[in-house]
Amino acid sequence: MRRLNARTVNPSSEEESKDMDPSKLQFRAGRPGFRPPTNKQPNPRSKCCLYTSLSIAILLFCYILLFGNTVKGSKKYGVVIDGGSTGTRIHVFNYDVRNGNLVLDFSEKGRASMRVNPGLSAYAENPQGASAAVGQLVEFAKRNVPRERWGDTEIRLMATAGMRLLDKEDQEKIFNACRRTLRASGFMFRDDWASVISGSDEGLFAWVVANYALGTLGAEPTQTTGIIELGGASAQVTFVSNEPMPPEFSRKVKFGNFTYNLYSHSLLHFGQNVASDLLKESLLLGGQELATESLHREKPMDPCTPRGYDLEKEDGKLSPTTLIEKKRYISTLFPNGNFSECRSASLKLLQKGQDKCSYSTCYIGSTFIPKLQGKFLATENFFHTSKFFRLRQKLFLSGLVTAGEQFCGEDWSKLTKKYNSLVEEDLIRYCFSSAYIVALLHDSLGIAFDDPRIEYASQVDSIPLDWALGAFILQSAAELDVKNSDWLTPVIGGESSPLPFLFGIFLVVVLISWFVLRWGKPQLKTIYDLEKDSRLLAKKLMHSLDFWFPSEPPLGKALFKNRDIGGIWHTGIGVIVWLVIEQVGSR
């Protein structure tokens, strides 16, 4: 049965629609606010393509922001020349920067060093000799740094106590000769990078490398370890102290989330070699009253030199006095090794000038030193002496007394047979060094013989406890902080950076997703709707970026409002926001 109300097609209507002007249809479809209704369901494949493409693009964008600097994986190099009192050593380091952090490798693979003798201070009368010595070290550095990296590798010359003992005129003569060599080296160099560092800096650098090696640099101040160095011309004491101290002894170091208040001071003239010379001069000149019977005899005794040693072999090396005084020294001192007397003589030398102390405590001379706090590492000659006597790393002070008594009381001929692998110039010093260390650490600084907080060391794991490494750590960290203060550097990219290429991929992914959807399902939007949605979404995106990526200046505000940021970001972000709005609006 047919439905009576069935709709019939009017042929004339079809003809009318065929004859209708298509321009009118276009006009009606394009009027403001018109949105053609559609019941067509979105293509699941197109929808999946959109979400996948946008997810990849967002992940890529976050990777560029957060891990952009990890793509800079090329090795960097640094060179430090340590101008010590007895020799000059060069250190060549290589390192990486990953995730904005300095990654150092102080093992044998990541570090190379070479030493030449004597120290720079020995060339006061022959500055060109210092230049030649530095030239040897520079050639060593060139063999360990790729030629293409010479121009961006810094080289610094830092001299210590040996050069501090010279007057300014002699210092400048030596430095000017060395600077000419360093300027012509091909490495990055400035004249002010060749200088004498202060004793406080030397102690500070040693403290930095010690705590870096121990893993406590960047930890709570109470967890750090102090450092006591015994060099050839000076001794350094550096540790975290909560006591109030005069500003000339106070240093502040910020590393990570902590600021460390340090006591740091260098005791010039109290290094092992110079102190030995001063002690023998005092015996010769009679200017120091020692608590021994030797001074009351006609011929002064030298309690720090084993019996039977021929002083003429020294050829005046132990004293910087004039030739006449050297001959007098050889003829008037008689070797009579005695540990206890040498220890007493050393203590008198360390206490000299205490009557002029203007501070609450002066353990050594007239120098302020607060009470020692925490754990300590004893390095350099503390290590060499203790290692020579084969002492335990901890509780070595009590063992040093016994070993020193036996060594100093032995006849020189027996000592040379027992230690025939050592040169006599080095062997003769161990009587004095054993007594001097006990007088310095126990009698002066008050460290108990059985104190487990102090141990001797020359390295921790594979990291040598050399102050030059600490100087390199601080310098590199400071430069990295300056670079990271501009957060745009890892985003926009620097020399040979692939970040613009990655950002291009980011844009291409979004464009492809847009064209696929536009080709599959065209939609119309008015200019008014596009502009309105664009503003709202841009504002939300700006606040989201500021919330999730806090920075100074604010990331979102800089990206959308700061024109100095670079055209690539304005254009790129604008296109991305417009494309996302286009797709969101089409839903």
Side-chain angles (χ1 to χ4, degrees):
M1 183 175 178
R2 293 185 180 179
R3 293 175 57 189
L4 297 177
N5 59 348
R7 187 175 178 179
T8 59
V9 178
N10 189 350
S12 62
S13 298
E14 291 184 1
E15 291 176 1
E16 269 184 31
S17 61
K18 289 181 181 179
D19 296 337
M20 187 176 293
D21 189 355
S23 63
K24 295 180 180 180
L25 291 175
Q26 183 177 2
F27 175 78
R28 288 175 59 83
R31 76 179 177 220
F34 177 76
R35 300 178 186 271
T38 177
N39 295 325
K40 184 177 179 180
Q41 296 298 323
N43 188 338
R45 187 168 59 182
S46 300
K47 186 176 181 180
C48 179
C49 178
L50 171 65
Y51 292 154
T52 301
S53 301
L54 289 179
S55 298
I56 294 174
I58 292 172
L59 289 174
L60 181 60
F61 180 68
C62 293
Y63 171 82
I64 293 173
L65 282 177
L66 298 178
F67 305 104
N69 49 3
T70 62
V71 297
K72 302 178 182 180
S74 59
K75 284 189 177 296
K76 299 179 181 295
Y77 295 84
V79 181
V80 176
I81 300 176
D82 169 8
S85 57
T86 59
T88 306
R89 184 184 296 274
I90 191 169
H91 300 273
V92 181
F93 308 106
N94 65 69
Y95 63 99
D96 294 317
V97 177
R98 301 174 191 166
N99 299 337
N101 297 317
L102 195 65
V103 180
L104 302 170
D105 182 9
F106 288 147
S107 65
E108 293 183 359
K109 294 182 179 179
R111 173 183 56 88
S113 62
M114 174 185 173
R115 176 186 170 107
V116 294
N117 294 327
L120 295 179
S121 57
Y123 297 102
E125 303 297 329
N126 178 28
Q128 293 307 314
S131 176
V134 170
Q136 294 180 48
L137 300 176
V138 167
E139 291 302 317
F140 174 82
K142 288 182 177 180
R143 294 194 296 269
N144 287 275
V145 178
R147 188 180 187 89
E148 62 272 14
R149 303 310 303 268
W150 291 358
D152 58 8
T153 298
E154 295 182 2
I155 186 169
R156 296 172 183 264
L157 170 59
M158 300 179 177
T160 56
M163 289 288 285
R164 287 186 214 125
L165 295 174
L166 300 180
D167 57 47
K168 293 292 184 181
E169 184 178 355
D170 289 336
Q171 288 181 11
E172 281 305 306
K173 287 180 181 178
I174 293 173
F175 278 131
N176 286 335
C178 294
R179 285 167 182 148
R180 286 191 291 269
T181 301
L182 295 173
R183 281 195 296 265
S185 66
F187 293 109
M188 186 187 303
F189 175 74
R190 296 202 311 251
D191 282 356
D192 59 336
W193 288 355
S195 62
V196 177
I197 64 171
S198 69
S200 177
D201 283 341
E202 186 177 352
L204 174 64
F205 297 151
W207 181 89
V208 167
V209 70
N211 284 278
Y212 175 86
L214 293 168
T216 53
L217 189 61
E220 290 279 354
T222 55
Q223 297 178 8
T224 60
T225 297
I227 197 85
I228 305 178
E229 291 182 294
L230 181 59
S234 64
Q236 283 72 235
V237 181
T238 306
F239 61 98
V240 170
S241 176
N242 55 17
E243 290 187 23
M245 64 187 79
E248 61 267 27
F249 299 100
S250 176
R251 299 295 299 271
K252 289 184 183 295
V253 175
K254 188 178 186 307
F255 203 96
N257 298 323
F258 294 97
T259 298
Y260 302 96
N261 298 313
L262 299 173
Y263 169 85
S264 183
H265 186 67
S266 178
L267 301 163
L268 193 60
H269 302 291
F270 287 106
Q272 179 176 286
N273 297 348
V274 173
S276 176
D277 294 344
L278 292 174
L279 178 59
K280 293 180 185 299
E281 286 179 14
S282 69
L283 291 171
L284 172 66
L285 301 175
Q288 178 178 340
E289 295 182 1
L290 298 177
T292 66
E293 297 179 359
S294 59
L295 285 181
H296 301 290
R297 299 171 184 170
E298 294 182 358
K299 195 171 186 179
M301 297 292 178
D302 180 2
C304 301
T305 302
R307 294 187 305 272
Y309 180 73
D310 187 359
L311 290 173
E312 293 184 0
K313 291 182 179 180
E314 297 186 1
D315 195 22
K317 291 180 180 179
L318 292 178
S319 178
T321 54
T322 62
L323 181 60
I324 296 176
E325 290 173 329
K326 289 176 184 177
K327 290 182 178 179
R328 181 166 163 249
Y329 167 78
I330 293 172
S331 63
T332 55
L333 285 180
F334 183 79
N336 184 36
N338 186 300
F339 179 85
S340 297
E341 291 186 0
C342 184
R343 174 180 169 184
S344 298
S346 300
L347 180 59
K348 288 291 184 180
L349 179 68
L350 290 165
Q351 291 179 340
K352 185 178 180 180
Q354 278 193 345
D355 55 328
K356 300 178 182 178
C357 175
S358 58
Y359 306 104
S360 58
T361 55
C362 294
Y363 297 117
I364 298 175
S366 58
T367 302
F368 169 80
I369 301 178
K371 183 178 180 180
L372 302 187
Q373 300 175 14
K375 296 177 292 185
F376 282 86
L377 288 178
T379 64
E380 296 194 17
N381 283 314
F382 292 121
F383 168 80
H384 298 310
T385 301
S386 301
K387 196 71 174 176
F388 170 78
F389 289 117
R390 299 180 180 179
L391 303 177
R392 292 181 299 170
Q393 194 167 5
K394 292 185 177 181
L395 306 177
F396 68 93
L397 273 178
S398 58
L400 190 58
V401 173
T402 304
E405 288 176 345
Q406 294 177 354
F407 186 90
C408 292
E410 192 66 84
D411 187 82
W412 179 248
S413 61
K414 293 182 180 179
L415 291 174
T416 54
K417 290 179 181 179
K418 184 178 180 179
Y419 303 101
N420 54 17
S421 61
L422 293 179
V423 296
E424 292 188 1
E425 184 181 355
D426 294 332
L427 184 61
I428 192 62
R429 294 186 181 273
Y430 285 112
C431 176
F432 169 77
S433 64
S434 60
Y436 184 69
I437 288 173
V438 173
L440 175 61
L441 296 181
H442 176 73
D443 301 333
S444 298
L445 295 179
I447 299 175
F449 286 123
D450 58 350
D451 193 336
R453 297 177 303 163
I454 185 169
E455 57 186 273
Y456 69 85
S458 67
Q459 65 179 36
V460 175
D461 295 332
S462 61
I463 302 178
L465 300 180
D466 192 314
W467 68 261
L469 279 66
F472 179 74
I473 292 172
L474 281 187
Q475 182 64 32
S476 301
E479 292 178 357
L480 188 63
D481 286 343
V482 171
K483 292 179 181 178
N484 286 345
S485 64
D486 179 10
W487 57 267
L488 286 177
T489 301
V491 176
I492 296 177
E495 180 182 357
S496 65
S497 172
L499 293 183
F501 174 72
L502 292 177
F503 188 73
I505 296 177
F506 178 28
L507 291 179
V508 169
V509 170
V510 177
L511 285 171
I512 290 175
S513 64
W514 177 68
F515 277 117
V516 168
L517 290 178
R518 294 294 293 179
W519 174 73
K521 187 179 78 172
Q523 296 291 341
L524 293 176
K525 287 185 66 68
T526 66
I527 298 297
Y528 172 78
D529 290 337
L530 177 63
E531 183 179 1
K532 180 180 178 181
D533 292 345
S534 174
R535 287 178 179 175
L536 290 175
L537 190 56
K539 187 175 182 180
K540 291 180 179 180
L541 181 58
M542 178 181 70
H543 291 306
S544 297
L545 288 173
D546 291 339
F547 177 78
W548 290 107
F549 305 105
S551 63
E552 188 62 37
L555 175 60
K557 187 174 182 180
L559 285 174
F560 293 102
K561 293 185 178 181
N562 186 356
R563 294 185 179 180
D564 295 334
I565 188 175
I568 182 173
W569 284 103
H570 273 294
T571 304
I573 295 297
V575 169
I576 293 167
V577 172
W578 180 74
L579 292 176
V580 173
I581 292 172
E582 184 73 11
Q583 295 307 315
V584 173
S586 67
R587 295 298 178 193

